[in-house]
PDB file of all heavy atoms in Angstrom:
ATOM      1  N   GLN A 848      43.463 291.207  19.946  1.00  0.00           N
ATOM      2  CA  GLN A 848      42.061 291.352  19.520  1.00  0.00           C
ATOM      3  C   GLN A 848      41.220 292.094  20.579  1.00  0.00           C
ATOM      4  O   GLN A 848      39.995 292.226  20.314  1.00  0.00           O
ATOM      5  CB  GLN A 848      41.514 289.948  19.360  1.00  0.00           C
ATOM      6  CG  GLN A 848      42.061 289.206  18.126  1.00  0.00           C
ATOM      7  CD  GLN A 848      41.535 287.814  17.951  1.00  0.00           C
ATOM      8  OE1 GLN A 848      41.538 287.032  18.953  1.00  0.00           O
ATOM      9  NE2 GLN A 848      40.971 287.486  16.752  1.00  0.00           N
ATOM     10  N   GLY A 849      41.883 292.575  21.595  1.00  0.00           N
ATOM     11  CA  GLY A 849      41.107 293.316  22.626  1.00  0.00           C
ATOM     12  C   GLY A 849      40.177 292.603  23.456  1.00  0.00           C
ATOM     13  O   GLY A 849      39.231 293.214  24.158  1.00  0.00           O
ATOM     14  N   LEU A 850      40.345 291.224  23.583  1.00  0.00           N
ATOM     15  CA  LEU A 850      39.397 290.443  24.392  1.00  0.00           C
ATOM     16  C   LEU A 850      39.505 290.713  25.825  1.00  0.00           C
ATOM     17  O   LEU A 850      38.512 290.506  26.560  1.00  0.00           O
ATOM     18  CB  LEU A 850      39.677 288.920  23.936  1.00  0.00           C
ATOM     19  CG  LEU A 850      39.444 288.460  22.573  1.00  0.00           C
ATOM     20  CD1 LEU A 850      39.593 286.932  22.429  1.00  0.00           C
ATOM     21  CD2 LEU A 850      38.067 288.949  22.057  1.00  0.00           C
ATOM     22  N   PHE A 851      40.621 290.992  26.359  1.00  0.00           N
ATOM     23  CA  PHE A 851      40.759 291.329  27.734  1.00  0.00           C
ATOM     24  C   PHE A 851      40.023 292.618  28.130  1.00  0.00           C
ATOM     25  O   PHE A 851      39.700 292.839  29.318  1.00  0.00           O
ATOM     26  CB  PHE A 851      42.300 291.534  28.174  1.00  0.00           C
ATOM     27  CG  PHE A 851      42.922 290.184  28.400  1.00  0.00           C
ATOM     28  CD1 PHE A 851      43.480 289.469  27.361  1.00  0.00           C
ATOM     29  CD2 PHE A 851      42.971 289.637  29.703  1.00  0.00           C
ATOM     30  CE1 PHE A 851      44.124 288.323  27.504  1.00  0.00           C
ATOM     31  CE2 PHE A 851      43.691 288.469  29.869  1.00  0.00           C
ATOM     32  CZ  PHE A 851      44.204 287.788  28.882  1.00  0.00           C
ATOM     33  N   GLU A 852      39.637 293.493  27.083  1.00  0.00           N
ATOM     34  CA  GLU A 852      38.861 294.624  27.356  1.00  0.00           C
ATOM     35  C   GLU A 852      37.387 294.268  27.213  1.00  0.00           C
ATOM     36  O   GLU A 852      36.565 294.694  27.977  1.00  0.00           O
ATOM     37  CB  GLU A 852      39.257 295.805  26.491  1.00  0.00           C
ATOM     38  CG  GLU A 852      40.442 296.483  26.875  1.00  0.00           C
ATOM     39  CD  GLU A 852      41.747 295.562  26.875  1.00  0.00           C
ATOM     40  OE1 GLU A 852      42.154 295.156  25.789  1.00  0.00           O
ATOM     41  OE2 GLU A 852      42.229 295.287  27.959  1.00  0.00           O
ATOM     42  N   ASN A 853      37.032 293.556  26.137  1.00  0.00           N
ATOM     43  CA  ASN A 853      35.767 293.285  25.975  1.00  0.00           C
ATOM     44  C   ASN A 853      35.473 291.972  24.999  1.00  0.00           C
ATOM     45  O   ASN A 853      35.611 292.062  23.832  1.00  0.00           O
ATOM     46  CB  ASN A 853      34.988 294.477  25.169  1.00  0.00           C
ATOM     47  CG  ASN A 853      33.499 294.235  25.060  1.00  0.00           C
ATOM     48  OD1 ASN A 853      32.841 293.298  25.649  1.00  0.00           O
ATOM     49  ND2 ASN A 853      32.844 294.964  24.154  1.00  0.00           N
ATOM     50  N   PRO A 854      35.255 290.893  25.539  1.00  0.00           N
ATOM     51  CA  PRO A 854      34.996 289.718  24.886  1.00  0.00           C
ATOM     52  C   PRO A 854      33.543 289.493  24.465  1.00  0.00           C
ATOM     53  O   PRO A 854      33.194 288.493  23.765  1.00  0.00           O
ATOM     54  CB  PRO A 854      35.424 288.642  25.878  1.00  0.00           C
ATOM     55  CG  PRO A 854      34.935 289.072  27.216  1.00  0.00           C
ATOM     56  CD  PRO A 854      35.129 290.686  27.161  1.00  0.00           C
ATOM     57  N   TYR A 855      32.694 290.450  24.865  1.00  0.00           N
ATOM     58  CA  TYR A 855      31.217 290.204  24.592  1.00  0.00           C
ATOM     59  C   TYR A 855      30.851 290.880  23.258  1.00  0.00           C
ATOM     60  O   TYR A 855      31.391 291.785  22.786  1.00  0.00           O
ATOM     61  CB  TYR A 855      30.372 290.799  25.768  1.00  0.00           C
ATOM     62  CG  TYR A 855      30.663 290.154  27.079  1.00  0.00           C
ATOM     63  CD1 TYR A 855      31.380 290.694  28.033  1.00  0.00           C
ATOM     64  CD2 TYR A 855      30.228 288.894  27.316  1.00  0.00           C
ATOM     65  CE1 TYR A 855      31.777 290.133  29.264  1.00  0.00           C
ATOM     66  CE2 TYR A 855      30.596 288.270  28.517  1.00  0.00           C
ATOM     67  CZ  TYR A 855      31.288 288.901  29.458  1.00  0.00           C
ATOM     68  OH  TYR A 855      31.515 288.265  30.608  1.00  0.00           O
ATOM     69  N   VAL A 856      29.686 290.347  22.706  1.00  0.00           N
ATOM     70  CA  VAL A 856      29.177 290.945  21.541  1.00  0.00           C
ATOM     71  C   VAL A 856      27.662 291.184  21.825  1.00  0.00           C
ATOM     72  O   VAL A 856      27.054 290.764  22.775  1.00  0.00           O
ATOM     73  CB  VAL A 856      29.228 289.819  20.325  1.00  0.00           C
ATOM     74  CG1 VAL A 856      30.664 289.759  19.936  1.00  0.00           C
ATOM     75  CG2 VAL A 856      28.560 288.609  20.575  1.00  0.00           C
ATOM     76  N   ASP A 857      27.091 292.052  20.885  1.00  0.00           N
ATOM     77  CA  ASP A 857      25.704 292.476  21.039  1.00  0.00           C
ATOM     78  C   ASP A 857      24.797 291.571  20.189  1.00  0.00           C
ATOM     79  O   ASP A 857      24.918 291.627  18.910  1.00  0.00           O
ATOM     80  CB  ASP A 857      25.584 293.941  20.541  1.00  0.00           C
ATOM     81  CG  ASP A 857      24.138 294.501  20.614  1.00  0.00           C
ATOM     82  OD1 ASP A 857      23.131 293.683  20.957  1.00  0.00           O
ATOM     83  OD2 ASP A 857      23.870 295.660  20.421  1.00  0.00           O
ATOM     84  N   PRO A 858      23.962 290.633  20.746  1.00  0.00           N
ATOM     85  CA  PRO A 858      23.144 289.678  19.935  1.00  0.00           C
ATOM     86  C   PRO A 858      22.199 290.428  18.924  1.00  0.00           C
ATOM     87  O   PRO A 858      22.052 289.922  17.877  1.00  0.00           O
ATOM     88  CB  PRO A 858      22.346 289.010  21.007  1.00  0.00           C
ATOM     89  CG  PRO A 858      23.260 289.033  22.213  1.00  0.00           C
ATOM     90  CD  PRO A 858      23.890 290.291  22.125  1.00  0.00           C
ATOM     91  N   ALA A 859      21.748 291.629  19.319  1.00  0.00           N
ATOM     92  CA  ALA A 859      20.875 292.254  18.414  1.00  0.00           C
ATOM     93  C   ALA A 859      21.581 292.772  17.221  1.00  0.00           C
ATOM     94  O   ALA A 859      21.170 292.747  16.095  1.00  0.00           O
ATOM     95  CB  ALA A 859      20.135 293.522  19.086  1.00  0.00           C
ATOM     96  N   ALA A 860      22.840 293.364  17.434  1.00  0.00           N
ATOM     97  CA  ALA A 860      23.695 293.739  16.353  1.00  0.00           C
ATOM     98  C   ALA A 860      24.078 292.600  15.499  1.00  0.00           C
ATOM     99  O   ALA A 860      24.229 292.680  14.220  1.00  0.00           O
ATOM    100  CB  ALA A 860      24.935 294.499  16.918  1.00  0.00           C
ATOM    101  N   ALA A 861      24.347 291.413  16.085  1.00  0.00           N
ATOM    102  CA  ALA A 861      24.715 290.273  15.354  1.00  0.00           C
ATOM    103  C   ALA A 861      23.626 289.907  14.262  1.00  0.00           C
ATOM    104  O   ALA A 861      23.955 289.540  13.107  1.00  0.00           O
ATOM    105  CB  ALA A 861      24.908 289.092  16.220  1.00  0.00           C
ATOM    106  N   SER A 862      22.330 290.024  14.611  1.00  0.00           N
ATOM    107  CA  SER A 862      21.331 289.730  13.817  1.00  0.00           C
ATOM    108  C   SER A 862      21.222 290.655  12.587  1.00  0.00           C
ATOM    109  O   SER A 862      20.771 290.361  11.596  1.00  0.00           O
ATOM    110  CB  SER A 862      19.917 289.752  14.571  1.00  0.00           C
ATOM    111  OG  SER A 862      19.534 290.831  14.973  1.00  0.00           O
ATOM    112  N   ARG A 863      21.723 291.979  12.853  1.00  0.00           N
ATOM    113  CA  ARG A 863      21.674 292.849  11.703  1.00  0.00           C
ATOM    114  C   ARG A 863      22.832 292.810  10.757  1.00  0.00           C
ATOM    115  O   ARG A 863      22.821 293.055   9.664  1.00  0.00           O
ATOM    116  CB  ARG A 863      21.684 294.387  12.337  1.00  0.00           C
ATOM    117  CG  ARG A 863      20.442 294.720  13.072  1.00  0.00           C
ATOM    118  CD  ARG A 863      20.421 296.158  13.431  1.00  0.00           C
ATOM    119  NE  ARG A 863      21.463 296.671  14.256  1.00  0.00           N
ATOM    120  CZ  ARG A 863      21.495 296.723  15.472  1.00  0.00           C
ATOM    121  NH1 ARG A 863      20.507 296.234  16.265  1.00  0.00           N
ATOM    122  NH2 ARG A 863      22.588 297.056  16.163  1.00  0.00           N
TER     123      ARG A 863
END
Side-chain angles (χ1 to χ4, degrees):
Q848 293 178 305
L850 299 184
F851 278 85
E852 282 62 69
N853 184 18
Y855 299 105
V856 294
D857 181 352
S862 66
R863 295 191 302 269

